Amino acid sequence: MSKTKKFLLDDRQMPTQWYNVVADMPTKPLPPLNPQTKQPVTKAEMSMLFPDALIDQEMSAERLIDIPDQVQDLYKIWRCTPLVRAYGLEKALDTPARIYFKNESVSPAGSHKPNSAIPQAYYNYKQGIKHLTTETGGGQWGSAIAMASQLFGIDLKVYMVKVSYNQKPYRKLAMNTWGAEVIPSPSDTTEAGRAALLADPDCSGSLGLAISEAIEVAVRNPDTTKYCLGSVLNHVLLHQTVIGQEAVAQMEMAGNEPDVVIGCFGGGSNFGGIGMPFLRKNLTEGKKIRIVAVEPASCPKLTRGVFQYDLGDTVGFTPLIAMYTLGHNFQPADIHAGGLRYHGAGSIVSQLLKDGLIEAVAMPQLETFAAGVMFARAEGIIPAPESTHAIAVAVREALQAKEEGRSKTILFNLSGHGLIDLYAYDQYFAGKLTNYDLPDSEIRRSVEQLDGII
Ligand SMILES: *Cc1c(COP(=O)(O)O)cnc(C)c1O
């Protein structure tokens, strides 16, 4: 008999609530602080940037939060997403391990990002907001929020990190097609951008700087314009838990429970999205599922950063967030996993890592691309450069199982496809990509600048 490849849920089985892991955390995440007063940020301060419903979610410790009907209806454009058994990859690795992946690449924007873009646009629309600003690194968040904003009739300005803007013209065109304006960052449209260009006219940009630009524009007109962010914040991670909730149900359909759940890590949203519903089993049912975050060796905040309060952006517009960080002035190498080039991590995942409830590993760039190419040839899907980080660790785990001669069940999140990132593969095939050895001294120099921040 032919084997089951995909485990599918129908529309009626889609989650109707998001799971908030804060409710089950033994140590709660530390609150965000106002950088001037060093006091917890108030709702009134946050309302300069975000609509009320998202602020409530950001601060919530309630276990389950209802997904509005209109958001559920739009999720159904592509959800539920398939859980897939990677028979081809298992064969290529000749491993006794069972490998599954959750395929988030099937969304219209090609990644998990619309899971948060849709509710963010919805709550802004409900509050009568007409304009949104945001930043994008790899371009995936910009694409997702461009689509979502358009669905709710909101106009959108996207500050796109310049290195990605130049590498990914098709992302920009996707955003334009969905009706957004795209500006390479640093730009001369904001004070933050002009200051960066004055210091270094060739500055290739960073997510932190693009955030500063987008926030600067939003706070000029807080009544009609708000800012939005595709990762790091608690409410973003919350929205992404539809991934893991579906995966829990689908692994049950497959008759397997994962020993290890793997997600690549930029700010923590797709990792948290797949990981938290499984962590819930550890926290409430005594399970011992390993939950592994994978970051690039060139931007190793989880494995080599410090846990402390830091700014989310370069200039200092965001609250201070308790996080694992390399320092907000850290400039990562121009690696091709643009979505993983962020200096810090979300406060929930940071606290979980500090408490030893999740694991983190840093992967060198060449190993991730090798795994990505292997996956494409074995499973047919060309993965996003970010997602190849999760694949590379799944491969390591599968090879370890083979070495130890025992079976093991591995689940990873395929956070996106790479069809708009083929330039990165071109560079890889041309032998132009390298591993970046990040010296301790460089991390120290960046982290030392945080002295006295709190
Ligand atoms: C944005 C992005 C990431 C990294 O962001 P997280 O918030 O850490 O998930 C990873 N993979 C893809 C495909 C992305 O678009």
Side-chain angles (χ1 to χ4, degrees), residues 110-113 138-141 171 230-232 236 240 264-272 338-340 384-387 413-417 421:
S111 78
H112 65 288
K113 296 283 196 326
Q140 291 102 332
W141 169 247
R171 282 276 176 220
S231 184
V232 182
V236 183
Q240 295 294 348
C264 67
F265 197 101
S269 80
N270 92 87
F271 164 76
L340 308 185
E386 291 85 357
S387 313
N413 193 39
L414 183 73
S415 55
H417 69 65
D421 308 293

Side-chain angles (χ1 to χ4, degrees), residues 101-363:
F101 64 93
K102 181 72 168 151
N103 187 359
E104 289 295 309
S105 80
V106 299
S107 82
S111 78
H112 65 288
K113 296 283 196 326
N115 296 332
S116 187
I118 297 280
Q120 289 195 44
Y122 166 81
Y123 290 119
N124 276 289
Y125 155 81
K126 286 298 269 188
Q127 200 168 305
I129 296 304
K130 305 284 183 235
H131 313 274
L132 279 173
T133 69
T134 196
E135 76 293 329
T136 194
Q140 291 102 332
W141 169 247
S143 314
I145 190 68
M147 174 191 72
S149 299
Q150 189 58 231
L151 288 168
F152 287 102
I154 297 172
D155 97 336
L156 173 71
K157 215 176 247 185
V158 182
Y159 286 88
M160 184 170 189
V161 179
K162 196 179 277 169
V163 56
S164 299
Y165 184 93
N166 292 329
Q167 281 172 0
K168 299 186 167 186
Y170 294 112
R171 282 276 176 220
K172 172 188 169 288
L173 286 168
M175 290 184 255
N176 292 153
T177 305
W178 276 307
E181 181 189 349
V182 186
I183 302 159
S185 168
S187 76
D188 61 6
T189 65
T190 65
E191 280 176 36
R194 286 191 291 271
L197 287 171
L198 196 64
D200 174 10
D202 298 323
C203 176
S204 63
S206 69
L207 263 186
L209 184 53
I211 293 173
S212 302
E213 292 205 87
I215 291 184
E216 189 181 319
V217 173
V219 296
R220 281 183 208 148
N221 296 297
D223 294 336
T224 56
T225 309
K226 299 269 183 235
Y227 162 75
C228 59
L229 186 62
S231 184
V232 182
L233 298 178
N234 298 348
H235 66 264
V236 183
L237 190 159
L238 174 79
H239 300 153
Q240 295 294 348
T241 59
V242 289
I243 304 173
Q245 291 183 72
E246 288 177 9
V248 166
Q250 288 163 313
M251 288 302 298
E252 277 167 22
M253 288 168 72
N256 270 313
E257 187 157 79
D259 296 297
V260 56
V261 177
I262 303 163
C264 67
F265 197 101
S269 80
N270 92 87
F271 164 76
I274 189 136
M276 295 307 102
F278 288 97
L279 183 67
R280 182 184 189 182
K281 288 170 170 276
N282 292 355
L283 296 173
T284 63
E285 297 169 28
K287 301 275 187 186
K288 293 201 164 57
I289 303 166
R290 293 170 51 219
I291 321 273
V292 182
V294 191
E295 61 185 5
S298 57
C299 194
K301 60 243 177 185
L302 299 176
T303 53
R304 296 172 70 191
V306 291
F307 180 84
Q308 75 150 71
Y309 272 103
D310 190 9
L311 294 165
D313 67 338
T314 313
V315 172
F317 285 138
T318 70
L320 290 164
I321 301 172
M323 51 156 75
Y324 276 96
T325 179
L326 295 164
H328 57 269
N329 288 324
F330 181 77
Q331 270 285 349
D334 290 347
I335 58 162
H336 281 276
L340 308 185
R341 294 174 80 241
Y342 184 65
H343 67 271
S347 69
I348 291 176
V349 281
S350 291
Q351 188 64 50
L352 291 170
L353 181 65
K354 184 160 187 285
D355 293 342
L357 296 170
I358 61 170
E359 300 171 32
V361 51
M363 294 297 273

Side-chain angles (χ1 to χ4, degrees), residues 351-391:
Q351 188 64 50
L352 291 170
L353 181 65
K354 184 160 187 285
D355 293 342
L357 296 170
I358 61 170
E359 300 171 32
V361 51
M363 294 297 273
Q365 179 162 250
L366 294 178
E367 186 175 343
T368 66
F369 271 94
V373 170
M374 179 183 221
F375 180 79
R377 292 178 184 177
E379 292 293 330
I381 303 171
I382 299 176
E386 291 85 357
S387 313
T388 64
H389 289 70
I391 299 171

